Amino acid sequence: MDKSHVYFMTNKNNTVIYIGVTSNLLKRVYQHKTKAFKGFTAKYNCDKLVYFEDFSDINDAIGREKQLKAGNRKRKEDLINKDNPDWNDLSDGWLFYFD
């Protein structure tokens, strides 16, 4: 069973929080880090994964993404601070390999 994910990316100064949803977190984080797409995260240098949640159903992940995007910044920061108080890059040490 494939997992889906809601995730937060930020920049080196933690001033911007981007919320996304994906069915392949490893590949999507790699795309953000390499600026494969010239969108919001490339423009604001959001290449640090600071939070993510797992879901077994993509529709649940999309619903959660909408809920999180509707919230204020403090609620987003509270989620990050609960599990990752130093705002470390959770993808440090990941090996990016794709078939």
Side-chain angles (χ1 to χ4, degrees):
M1 180 185 303
D2 292 332
K3 284 188 178 179
S4 298
H5 306 274
V6 172
Y7 63 95
F8 293 4
M9 301 293 293
T10 192
N11 56 3
K12 69 178 181 176
N13 296 320
N14 304 328
T15 56
V16 177
I17 298 174
Y18 170 83
I19 300 175
V21 65
T22 184
S23 58
N24 188 335
L25 187 62
L26 183 74
K27 186 173 185 178
R28 192 68 185 108
V29 168
Y30 175 80
Q31 290 168 338
H32 287 300
K33 287 183 175 295
T34 60
K35 296 180 176 40
F37 302 106
K38 303 304 175 205
F40 182 92
T41 57
K43 180 178 179 179
Y44 293 99
N45 296 310
C46 296
D47 60 2
K48 187 166 71 166
L49 177 69
V50 291
Y51 180 82
F52 64 92
E53 296 177 9
D54 300 328
F55 296 86
S56 57
D57 184 308
I58 187 69
N59 294 310
D60 293 338
I62 292 168
R64 178 66 168 149
E65 177 198 28
K66 289 178 182 179
Q67 179 188 42
L68 291 167
K69 284 184 173 182
N72 62 30
R73 181 170 174 108
K74 182 177 182 328
R75 288 179 52 203
K76 296 166 190 159
E77 289 176 349
D78 288 346
L79 279 174
I80 297 166
N81 287 329
K82 186 178 121 198
D83 294 327
N84 186 8
D86 295 326
W87 290 51
N88 295 318
D89 186 347
L90 301 175
S91 67
D92 273 354
W94 287 11
L95 298 176
F96 296 102
Y97 173 81
F98 310 103
D99 290 340

